[in-house]
Amino acid sequence: MPLLTRSVHGVQLTEAGRVFLDHARLALMQAEAATEGARRAAQPSKPVFAIGFTTGQEVDWLPRATRLLRNELADIEIRVSSDHSATLAEELVHGRLDVAFLRGEKMPDIEFKVVAQEPLVAVLPSDHRLAQRETFDPKDLVGETYIGISKVPRVLRALIADYLDRCGIEITPAFEIDNCAMAVSLVASNRGVAILPASARNFLPWSVVSRPLEGDAPTIAVTVGFRRDNASP
């Protein structure tokens, strides 16, 4: 039964040859799958520990977290992601994250432990007239393009609103955003001013600076959240 034919035009498969090639390819893929299955059985995959960070927090906390995990649980795979707190909380609830560094709020089945208090700061263009001062007076927000926080980061939005209310400031945001990275982009592109957690300084471009708030600046808690029923050692 010939599998090939030769002619002046070269070598070609016969119909039987094409059928044989299809079966040969299938057999090869099955052999590769069998080899991979045997390898996994002989060397089981490492346990996975998934950590989430509010964007910007990974710069401060990831090195410490990975060092602790490597010391305590050497033979694990660490997976890292970053997002805003509301999304991280949902990931915890559904078991897609083991722990998350986020803004704590009451949620069923989730336990929060405070690990730090983070001050709020003003973020503004580096060549802004107010950037020449060592501190930022929140009353100077009036008349500026104010970049506010949307309803998604609920804890941060409420904290800033309470702070502005205590300062006697009424201002309508020109934009409302879900995350600090977008706020920084709008500060740079629209020459606006925002009040953000100090961790936002971890991703400021050269054209944007931060300044401490005058007086008793508010702080926001950095918490580690995890499901109470998480059985991971």
Side-chain angles (χ1 to χ4, degrees):
M1 180 178 59
L3 302 179
L4 302 171
T5 60
R6 290 181 174 84
S7 68
V8 293
H9 300 293
V11 179
Q12 293 182 316
L13 288 170
T14 64
E15 185 62 29
R18 283 191 288 270
V19 172
F20 179 84
L21 181 60
D22 289 341
H23 283 282
R25 285 172 174 164
L26 179 60
L28 182 59
M29 288 189 292
Q30 290 174 333
E32 290 175 348
T35 302
E36 178 64 14
R39 185 190 64 78
R40 289 179 179 175
Q43 297 178 337
S45 59
K46 294 180 179 180
V48 174
F49 194 80
I51 313 175
F53 294 90
T54 302
T55 303
Q57 293 290 348
E58 63 269 37
V59 177
D60 296 324
W61 294 98
L62 180 57
R64 285 182 265 186
T66 52
R67 185 165 58 248
L68 174 65
L69 289 169
R70 292 301 184 201
N71 289 342
E72 296 294 326
L73 300 167
D75 193 30
I76 63 171
E77 177 184 339
I78 302 172
R79 293 183 184 170
V80 178
S81 61
S82 66
D83 214 313
H84 51 68
S85 286
T87 299
L88 295 177
E90 287 296 317
E91 296 286 286
L92 285 175
V93 168
H94 292 97
R96 291 188 285 267
L97 290 175
D98 290 295
V99 299
F101 289 74
L102 73 170
R103 311 302 176 193
E105 53 186 286
K106 290 183 179 180
M107 297 188 68
D109 304 322
I110 303 296
E111 184 169 341
F112 295 96
K113 293 190 176 183
V114 176
V115 293
Q117 291 290 341
E118 182 180 9
L120 299 187
V121 298
V123 176
L124 62 165
S126 57
D127 61 351
H128 195 287
R129 60 184 178 81
L130 298 174
Q132 310 310 312
R133 303 178 184 176
E134 292 186 0
T135 58
F136 185 89
D137 186 342
K139 292 183 173 60
D140 287 331
L141 281 174
V142 178
E144 298 294 332
T145 300
Y146 175 55
I147 313 300
I149 303 297
S150 76
K151 295 179 180 179
V152 176
R154 295 180 290 268
V155 177
L156 179 59
R157 178 185 171 95
L159 179 67
I160 294 175
D162 179 69
Y163 172 65
L164 295 180
D165 185 61
R166 286 189 286 109
C167 292
I169 299 170
E170 290 188 18
I171 186 168
T172 301
F175 303 92
E176 289 193 341
I177 50 80
D178 294 347
N179 61 76
C180 292
M182 180 58 70
V184 171
S185 295
L186 287 173
V187 167
S189 61
N190 289 271
R191 298 194 58 75
V193 180
I195 294 178
L196 301 172
S199 56
R201 293 181 298 206
N202 291 326
F203 44 82
L204 295 185
W206 64 269
S207 59
V208 176
V209 296
S210 68
R211 293 291 180 264
L213 297 173
E214 282 188 9
D216 188 16
T219 61
I220 187 168
V222 180
T223 69
V224 170
F226 56 94
R227 283 185 63 100
R228 295 186 183 93
D229 60 359
N230 190 329
S232 171

